Amino acid sequence: MPLALSRMSSEPQRSRSMAMGNARSGYESPSSSDSDDSCDTIRVSIHSGRATSSTAVSRAGSPHFGFCSDLDDEPSSPLLGPTRWWDSDSGRRRRRRDAGFSVVRRVKRRLARLARHPLVPTQPVTILFSLVLFALFAIILTLFLIYQLNPDKEALPWRSYCALQPAFPPNNFYKLSPAGVFLGVFSMDSGLERRMFVRTTFASHERSRVDNGTSRTIVRFILGKPRPEWERRIQLEAETYNDMVILPISENMNNGKTHAYFTWAARHAWVPPPLTPLPFSYANQTSIPPPLAAHDPRPQPNSPPDWVRPDFILKADDDSFVMLAELEGRLRVEMHAGLNEPTSYYYGVPPPVEDPLVYWGYLVKNKFMGGEMYGLSWSMVNWVAQSEAARGLTRGAEDKLVAKWVLLHPRAGSVRWKSDHCWIYDHPKAGTVYSHGFLFPSEASRVRRQLTNADPKKTSSPPSVLNTFSHSSVCTFGSRYTPPSPNLTPMQSVEALVEGSAMSRVGTSSHSEDPSLEPSVALQRAVNKAWMEREGRRARYEHKKLGGTVLVHFIKKNEWWEETALALLGGDDYIYSKLPSSSGRVDPGNQDNKNRSSDVEPSSNSTRQDKETESRTPIIITTSTTGNG
């Protein structure tokens, strides 16, 4: 009882002090006296063990904002019950919040002090000028970082690649059975125009397939699930051409499409069978032929009816122009390389033939094959489709991921990395380090003779000039392509894109043989002469069917695609000024030397020659939409 009375006597004084504090701060507690009476009544009731009185409610009916006890003074009072976690930690949270506010205030003060600096612009003109300077600095810094981080700062020495690479095909090439090649061209739902280019050019053209060499080569377009607005059109296109594969994933480039393609190919990829069965483990897997596309090879006489697994599965971008016979020829050699190796017999029994382990493409920095086109042999594709380790590496640059898959193979040390640096390049107008003119075997042979016969001691040129391994007669790295003459016909402009051609050198050679002629007239005569001296396809391929360009990449414009098709698929077998003699053959080297050493005819003859050149239209082999097995 004395304790309760002491508390009751102290409460009015505390309430009065609180009221005075509120008055000083401009806040008046509502019903202060009522609050004091209520607190007194509650304490007395609790101490005496009786129920609370109705006097605990405000007589005015307004809520009470006062407090009956001070938790800071009596945190362990038995009348207040156990201490709650939110009560004990409230002061700590308040200190943390105050600390955060103090950091913000310090930052604001420093910014305000910086804004008052004399060098900080305050006028609109000075602010605008400062923003312009900052933007220029950001642009310069970005360009500098791009240049420093870009590894491709100079053109690649493609001439040295061609000089070191032996001529193709080898002598026993036509004794080898064709390889089964399944080429998947990656596309997307909106790429109908590019797919039509592929269908009507290298997928079906006779100069791309070359006789029966590609009788086991299949081309299909690989797409992800189309967008809703494209779904109907893609379904109709697939039903029309029978050459499209829709993967059960969303369309992407570096988010698992390549792995999904290889997984699909391990189950559903088939090619026409060989005439003679191959001794590989997958040779017995057969299936009925699928619906044929217009560019698929026709069945060969006496060939088995069922299709078999492909020997190689390749991926290519839709901006790549592929010469199918050249591609199949390189893979054919690799397929038979293991079969021709000498083997040791065990008790007269030959060992089982191992499946080829080949990783083929354009090797970049000795790390991975470039994404424009690469391929794996069948056994490796089958392993990628079943490997959990490969399934966990599906996000990132797809060409680099394939190299990682190859390194994860259980027999990674036995995998043959085969690269072709000479016959895979970018379009002449692409301007990349991989760009040069359209290359043919005749120019590659001239490059090979030039570099192998060069002697630094007998030449008057400095050693830096001898390092012309990256020189191109068509384009220069880092510079936009400029035609040698502004008045070229379409076929002459394509001829100017051929590496080593006389037309490609018109712009750099001296053509003012007659000082009395105007420069434009002299240039036109040089163009006409270069056109007459061009090589036919038979001369460019050195009277062979194969041995040239495998792939042209980075064809970003439709115009570039047409130029590539005309350069690699068009043109005459013979030029009318270089018709073969009675023996049936013509020496292209002697004929070229004869034409290049001939003097310019008089003005009247040159004019007549110009008229003849204009009247004679070159024969162009048009593209066809049907395959030629």
Side-chain angles (χ1 to χ4, degrees), residues 159-224:
R159 289 179 174 267
S160 63
Y161 300 155
C162 295
L164 297 175
Q165 187 168 331
F168 188 87
N171 296 329
N172 64 336
F173 176 78
Y174 292 101
K175 297 180 181 180
L176 307 177
S177 61
V181 179
F182 189 95
L183 175 61
V185 179
F186 276 28
S187 182
M188 58 184 302
D189 50 17
S190 59
L192 172 60
E193 187 175 25
R194 185 53 59 89
R195 290 193 291 273
M196 292 306 300
F197 277 142
V198 173
R199 291 182 180 116
T200 57
T201 53
F202 71 78
S204 59
H205 201 281
E206 58 183 1
R207 286 183 172 175
S208 174
R209 289 196 170 266
V210 184
D211 298 336
N212 295 328
T214 57
S215 59
R216 303 186 60 213
T217 300
I218 298 297
V219 178
R220 292 292 183 266
F221 297 100
I222 311 300
L223 291 80

Side-chain angles (χ1 to χ4, degrees), residues 381-432:
V381 171
N382 192 33
W383 175 84
V384 169
Q386 300 176 2
S387 172
E388 293 293 338
R391 191 176 294 111
L393 292 174
T394 58
R395 295 191 178 186
E398 44 97 13
D399 47 5
K400 297 180 180 179
L401 287 178
V402 174
K404 293 181 180 180
W405 299 342
V406 173
L407 295 177
L408 291 175
H409 194 274
R411 298 178 56 195
S414 301
V415 177
R416 287 177 289 160
W417 293 49
K418 292 298 180 178
S419 176
D420 196 326
H421 284 93
C422 179
W423 301 107
I424 298 179
Y425 52 89
D426 287 354
H427 191 275
K429 295 182 180 179
T432 64

Side-chain angles (χ1 to χ4, degrees), residues 89 91-101:
D89 197 45
R92 187 181 305 170
R93 292 201 307 270
R94 188 181 302 108
R95 287 192 296 270
R96 292 177 181 175
R97 184 167 59 253
D98 294 342
F101 289 153

